[in-house]
Amino acid sequence: MTGMTASSAPSLDPSADIVDLTAAIVDVESVSGNERALADAVEAALREHAPHLRVIRDGDTVIARTDRGLPQRVLLAGHLDTVPVAANLPSSRRVREGREELVGRGSCDMKGGVAVMLRLAVEMRTASRDLTWIFYDHEEVAAAQNSLTRLAAEHPEHLEADFAILGEPTSAGVEGGCKGTMKLEVTARGTAAHSGRDWVGDNAIHRLAPVMQRLAEYEARRAVIDGLEYREGLNAVAISGGIAGNVIPDRASLTLNYRFAPDTSVARAEAHVREVLAGLDLEIEVTDAAPGALPGLTTPAAQEFLAALGEGVPVSAKQGWTDVSRFSALGTPAVNFGPGDPLLAHTDDEHVPVADLQTALAGLRRFLAG
């Protein structure tokens, strides 16, 4: 393990100013696989400051919940890990174009959301609903490593709720549901030969040309669901083939990524890609897939959430994939809501506006207080 160790992790004060709390969380480096120090700090803060919560530690995931027997349970989740640091730690503050910002890896995706949730987990002792808070690890890597995958398989009771809020960055607006995602490996076979005698061989890379042409001409569907528009996309994202500059390649592959609307199943998504490439001599293998999540905004809990945020809060479709899909698969309607512009996630200039932190904190507080 690299970076900050658990023993050197600072204590977190959930009652601190939300910007100070966010900065303290950002400054605990927690690249995927190195979440333990931050998980330790979050767990310690909850155990010290939130006696009304039952705190559970599962690996590097921290779960805290109330069990007051209330008729409705809301789950709020945020991941502790980040993508690798790019000379953007420790955090810093700046004012740009009159807007105060906190800069640093994870500030947007999604330690700003984690800070808001940690603050409210401690503060909401008499919420109008029972609450479950999940601070989890390994979100920024393969789905099989995501701790929500483990929890769903081993302790699904921890994920049971009537409504879920995922603190992904949404500029403090609401993004309903998410698109599904699928990765496919498309392989063409040929015959190897010396490039000086190319007529003896069959160039596998050239056999991919019709695939590229179909992708270039592909018209992506736009699906409107519950008034939200999800824009699909089918794209080549990687290409490989060839072993030397004087050898006609006998194998070449394209990696495709299909982002599909949440009204489409994984099986139907695969069938659609195969339809697009029908008639071509190819091997097509699905290497990864995850379903989308319907908006779920028509449920009573979601309507109460939107009302608490106020009429001016923008509501749109989530154009990427997020863990709301996992909650949707369990029958729990879920939305994305958190501080920070999602377009800044993973960038070297990752930052979160202070106004977003304050807006998200106030909105969630109104909803949970009822």
Side-chain angles (χ1 to χ4, degrees):
M1 183 179 293
T2 59
M4 187 174 292
T5 63
S7 61
S8 62
S11 61
L12 299 175
D13 179 6
S15 65
D17 174 79
I18 191 60
V19 185
D20 292 335
L21 178 59
T22 303
I25 293 173
V26 169
D27 288 343
V28 184
E29 184 265 288
S30 58
V31 174
S32 301
N34 193 35
E35 298 97 331
R36 181 156 299 173
L38 183 53
D40 286 346
V42 168
E43 179 185 12
L46 291 170
R47 292 193 186 278
E48 179 181 357
H49 298 282
H52 60 290
L53 294 173
R54 179 163 63 95
V55 180
I56 304 163
R57 181 69 178 261
D58 188 314
D60 287 332
T61 288
V62 182
I63 304 163
R65 52 185 291 141
T66 62
D67 291 293
R68 298 165 55 208
L70 299 176
Q72 189 179 78
R73 178 172 294 277
V74 173
L75 184 151
L76 301 98
H79 64 82
L80 300 175
D81 62 321
T82 72
V83 297
V85 176
N88 48 7
L89 282 183
S91 62
S92 61
R93 302 189 193 193
R94 71 186 180 202
V95 176
R96 187 171 59 172
E97 298 179 355
R99 185 174 74 168
E100 186 179 358
E101 300 168 341
L102 178 69
V103 184
R105 172 60 78 222
S107 55
C108 172
D109 187 17
M110 55 165 287
K111 291 185 174 182
V114 167
V116 168
M117 291 181 177
L118 182 60
R119 171 73 172 271
L120 291 175
V122 170
E123 179 183 310
M124 285 292 157
R125 302 190 177 207
T126 57
S128 60
R129 305 159 174 85
D130 268 321
L131 304 176
T132 299
W133 308 87
I134 301 182
F135 303 91
Y136 63 102
D137 58 290
H138 284 85
E139 190 271 348
E140 298 288 7
V141 288
Q145 296 177 266
N146 188 313
S147 67
L148 292 185
T149 303
R150 182 183 71 253
L151 288 176
E154 299 176 1
H155 297 287
E157 69 276 9
H158 293 331
L159 302 182
E160 291 177 355
D162 300 289
F163 181 56
I165 300 170
L166 189 67
E168 290 285 355
T170 61
S171 296
V174 176
E175 293 184 341
C178 71
K179 292 190 293 194
T181 183
M182 175 175 289
K183 290 182 181 178
L184 308 96
E185 200 72 13
V186 177
T187 301
R189 301 285 181 176
T191 302
H194 192 294
S195 60
R197 296 178 290 277
D198 62 348
W199 61 89
V200 177
D202 181 3
N203 194 313
I205 292 179
H206 294 178
R207 282 181 167 268
L208 290 176
V211 180
M212 299 294 289
Q213 184 64 32
R214 291 192 187 186
L215 294 175
E217 296 174 351
Y218 180 77
E219 295 186 9
R221 171 181 175 237
R222 296 189 179 191
V224 178
I225 305 170
D226 291 346
L228 305 183
E229 183 181 72
Y230 296 86
R231 299 183 61 170
E232 296 191 339
L234 177 59
N235 292 280
V237 294
I239 187 168
S240 63
I243 61 171
N246 58 355
V247 178
I248 299 298
D250 62 354
R251 183 185 183 279
S253 295
L254 278 175
T255 302
L256 307 187
N257 183 213
Y258 180 34
R259 299 291 178 136
F260 50 95
D263 60 351
T264 300
S265 67
V266 168
R268 182 67 192 96
E270 179 183 354
H272 176 67
V273 176
R274 291 184 181 276
E275 290 169 3
V276 171
L277 302 179
L280 302 179
D281 185 13
L282 302 166
E283 299 169 12
I284 302 175
E285 178 188 5
V286 176
T287 58
D288 189 30
L294 293 167
L297 296 178
T298 59
T299 62
Q303 288 293 303
E304 292 168 11
F305 176 57
L306 293 176
L309 296 182
E311 294 183 1
V313 174
V315 180
S316 59
K318 185 66 178 179
Q319 299 299 341
W321 184 93
T322 74
D323 280 318
V324 297
S325 172
R326 301 181 187 278
F327 298 112
S328 180
L330 295 171
T332 302
V335 298
N336 304 277
F337 175 78
D341 183 345
L343 296 180
L344 294 173
H346 303 184
T347 65
D348 291 354
D349 187 41
E350 184 175 356
H351 61 270
V352 61
V354 168
D356 274 16
L357 292 169
Q358 296 167 337
T359 298
L361 177 63
L364 273 179
R365 182 185 283 134
R366 287 193 301 271
F367 171 60
L368 298 178

